[in-house]
Amino acid sequence: MVEKKLETVTLTERQKKAQRGRSIAIGVALAVLVVIFYIATIVKFAHNLSGKM
């Protein structure tokens, strides 16, 4: 069998910092989205419960 050596890319410190910043931004955006959905669900349930009494 012929072994293929994978070509890897070495990132510079600047690229690593930029990638980390993007990852953090995506994580924060995802967390905000989760909180929005959670609050919307709670509000929806509260509205439904108050209407049935």
Side-chain angles (χ1 to χ4, degrees):
M1 281 204 151
V2 177
E3 290 186 33
K4 291 184 180 181
K5 188 172 183 179
L6 297 176
E7 184 177 332
T8 59
V9 176
T10 304
L11 299 176
T12 64
E13 288 302 316
R14 186 175 175 187
Q15 289 171 325
K16 287 179 185 178
K17 189 174 180 182
Q19 186 178 35
R20 179 168 169 76
R22 284 190 302 269
S23 296
I24 290 171
I26 290 171
V28 168
L30 184 60
V32 168
L33 190 61
V34 166
V35 169
I36 289 171
F37 283 133
Y38 180 75
I39 291 171
T41 302
I42 297 300
V43 168
K44 215 172 164 183
F45 278 132
H47 178 70
N48 284 341
L49 289 176
S50 66
K52 297 214 181 210
M53 289 182 161

